[in-house]
Amino acid sequence: MKMLIKNGRVIDPSQELDSCLDILIEDGLIVELAEDIDADGIDEVIDADGLVVTPGLIDIHVHLREPGHEYKEDIITGTRAAAAGGFTSVACMPNTNPVNDNKALTAYMINKGEQEGSANVFPICTITKGQEGKSLVEMGDLKLAGCVGFSDDGLNVECGEVLRRAMEYASGFDMPIIAHAEDEAIKAGGVMNEGRVATELGLTGNPWVAEASTVARDLMLAEFTGARLHVCHISTRRTVELIREAKARGIKVTCEVTPHHFTLTEEAVRGYDVNAKMGPPLRTADDVQAMKEGLADGTIDAIATDHAPHHIDDKNIEFNVAANGLIGLETALSLTLNLVAEESISLSQAINCLSTAAANTLRIPRGTLQKGVPADVTVIDPEYKWAVNAQQLQSKAHNTPFDGWEMTGAAMLTIRNGQVTFERKDN
Amino acid sequence: MAFLHKHIIGTKQLSKEDIELILETAESFKEVNQREIKKVPTLRGKTIINLFYENSTRTRTSFELAGKRMSADTINISASGSSVTKGETLEDTAKNIEAMDADVIIMRHSCSGAPEYLAKRLTKCSVVNAGDGFHEHPSQALLDLMTIKEHKGKIEGLTVAIIGDIARSRVARSNLYALKTMGATVRLAGPATMLPTGLEEMGAEVYTDINKAIKDADVVMMLRIQMEREGGNTLMPTLREYAQFFALNTENIKLAKPDAIVMHPGPLNRGVEISSYVADGEQNVILEQVENGVAVRMALLYLLAGGSDEEKNDS
């Protein structure tokens, strides 16, 4: 089986490529990347004239909910949503039920993604057994099983000693610790950003310092232990500044931002919109600006969605008790392209944050179109106009604050291991 | 002029004209409350449900009396907890009540936003917020304004000091909006742990020294301190220290204008946020607030359920 993608503008940050090239795929691998490849004897020729062809997009922060919460999402629907958003690989968080702190679950997730899913699944395992913040998981064995990093995501590792030892131990296996940095005590039950909007709505605030102070601790522990630290979903200006400074000092740190944290502010919570409730919370316009600056200067490595599907029953209740999070896989690319349209970042930076650089944070062996690698390719129309209809997305869940938004730009074709996992039909 | 609101969620939604209309209407109902036979047929045949997810004596009794004095059928439902602890969702509870053809649901809930949530999901019924979380308590603010106006003849140009746990006070928020709309200066004061961010942007002056807030004020409104906040909590060291620095007493009340009035939404913690000498002193109007509460709630129910429905929008 040979597939040829012709006439596209190929942007591959891993090779610093941005030019009109053809890509030849054979038996699931990229075999040639050149100008004007002959279409004779090719089974399928895709005309990508006017389109952008990139390494398959990678989302390093999703919740697939399987096992345990299949009523919210499962590996099949979650990876289908990924493919529809242009993603060919996802790294899934371990807060399933039971939590992913073992080899069997890790293997299950990888296999399910491979055999029945529409995207490659790279599991992230917990740092501590049972996600209880106490004793370490079998990091070496989990690495062998295919785990790409360790995170007690959703929970901060409160105990500094546990985190220190986790970093030390993980660094021996060259594995990253992924921090959900939020001081629970300072957060004090806050359900949205602390500030004027919270005061008006009468909701308890979760201040920026709950995140930034924990990031400061984690950075120093990374400096002290020499471990690789990846900071999840950063949301405040001070965090960006801390990471910028840490990188300058040579600390091995990477970080990600979600599309909602560079798009929306706390104002979105008005009317008690439960779809605008997440941890960390939406912040201020100045914080949004800081996210854009961090992306532009490379302080922020990756754009990741924190795709958090929830059933309507977990959301359609009082704001204080509604579940945290929103789905993001199918809107991430368009929201990222908004940053390109408003000239906050370049198109190649956008693609880098969604592919090569994202892969590098967790050393996921994807995110490139180099000859010989598995053919994960995304074909993007940056001008494609569409409107979000939460009820018609591929995810099982509908919890998005972007419902009804007019979007520009979308994945038109998603190819994983040489197989088409998604093709956009005109709506 | 017409009253165009279908729900009363907060004073933030009310214009100057709305507030004036409510207060004028309340004045006429106050007269009813002073008659020998305290009953008018205004809301005969209307059904009003008091849906209270939080304990309340004063507010619930006041709403119930307001309904009964206008001949409405009033029912009290005490519920506890949120959707999560209770097992039935708020939406289901409300829709069941609506299915029984209630005209007005008066709701108190510990979660901010619960009445707004309800209002968005009910098609026929009006919703009146009787206090939600730390968000709003509009009928309390309106009865406060009525009391202030009776004593001062106006609201515009007055200086009102509100003192206590502003962060956790729906009374403070509703008063801030209503008083600002009517042209008063609002000073909010308390320990810094009880002053949330953003108050200045909302139009208030903010003080941690209550003497400065009281200085030359026309109205001093003390908020109830929740006694259980003492101990195991970081908002204040002790009730003793709170009383020392943040209570209204016979000394600091002298800083206010000589004709200043002293208010409190009740119930009082005597000796904590207010000394008994001040609470019972000449300047106190606390029981007048309670009296006006019934009249204001009659006015709200009348404006929502009394006239024709045609002119009301869903704001």
Side-chain angles (χ1 to χ4, degrees), chain A residues 188 193-205 266-267 269-274 312-322, chain B residues 12 53 81-84 89-91 109-114 116-117 120-121 132-136 167 173 177 196-199 201-202:
Chain A
N193 186 48
E194 183 165 319
R196 179 188 174 167
V197 180
T199 298
E200 281 189 34
L201 295 178
L203 294 171
T204 307
E266 59 189 349
E267 293 290 331
V269 180
R270 286 193 192 277
Y272 301 93
D273 183 357
V274 291
I312 187 169
D313 292 348
D314 300 323
K315 278 289 194 182
N316 186 20
I317 47 178
E318 296 90 327
F319 189 91
N320 279 343
V321 290
Chain B
K12 193 182 177 190
Y53 283 83
S82 65
S83 297
V84 169
T89 66
L90 190 54
E91 180 167 22
H109 201 290
S110 60
C111 290
S112 301
E116 187 172 330
Y117 172 101
K120 283 179 185 164
R121 284 161 178 80
D132 64 326
F134 311 145
H135 177 226
E136 283 232 38
R173 284 169 179 77
Y177 294 130
T197 47
L199 293 173
E201 291 168 74
M202 290 162 73

Side-chain angles (χ1 to χ4, degrees), chain A residues 161-238:
Chain A
E161 204 257 344
V162 170
L163 190 59
R164 172 201 166 166
R165 298 302 180 194
M167 284 187 180
E168 285 176 342
Y169 193 79
S171 67
F173 291 93
D174 194 24
M175 288 286 277
I177 292 293
I178 302 169
H180 175 112
E182 205 170 33
D183 186 306
E184 282 293 322
I186 296 177
K187 179 181 168 185
V191 294
M192 71 169 292
N193 186 48
E194 183 165 319
R196 179 188 174 167
V197 180
T199 298
E200 281 189 34
L201 295 178
L203 294 171
T204 307
N206 172 0
W208 61 264
V209 70
E211 173 178 305
S213 63
T214 308
V215 169
R217 177 197 71 165
D218 294 359
L219 287 169
M220 288 189 193
L221 284 171
E223 179 177 10
F224 180 69
T225 59
R228 284 165 58 202
L229 172 69
H230 176 75
V231 185
C232 286
H233 45 49
I234 66 169
S235 67
T236 86
R237 177 174 285 281
R238 286 296 284 123

Side-chain angles (χ1 to χ4, degrees), chain A residues 2-12 17 21-26 29-37 42 44 46 53-55 369 375-379:
Chain A
K2 289 186 181 180
M3 185 189 276
L4 181 63
I5 304 171
K6 278 196 82 68
N7 305 320
R9 175 183 169 190
V10 174
I11 298 180
D12 179 3
L17 265 184
L21 292 170
D22 297 349
I23 299 174
L24 182 62
I25 297 167
E26 192 173 343
L29 302 177
I30 290 173
V31 294
E32 201 181 346
L33 188 64
E35 282 179 30
D36 220 8
I37 299 173
I42 305 292
E44 190 178 358
I46 293 155
V53 181
T54 72
L369 296 172
D376 289 0
V377 185
T378 302
V379 180

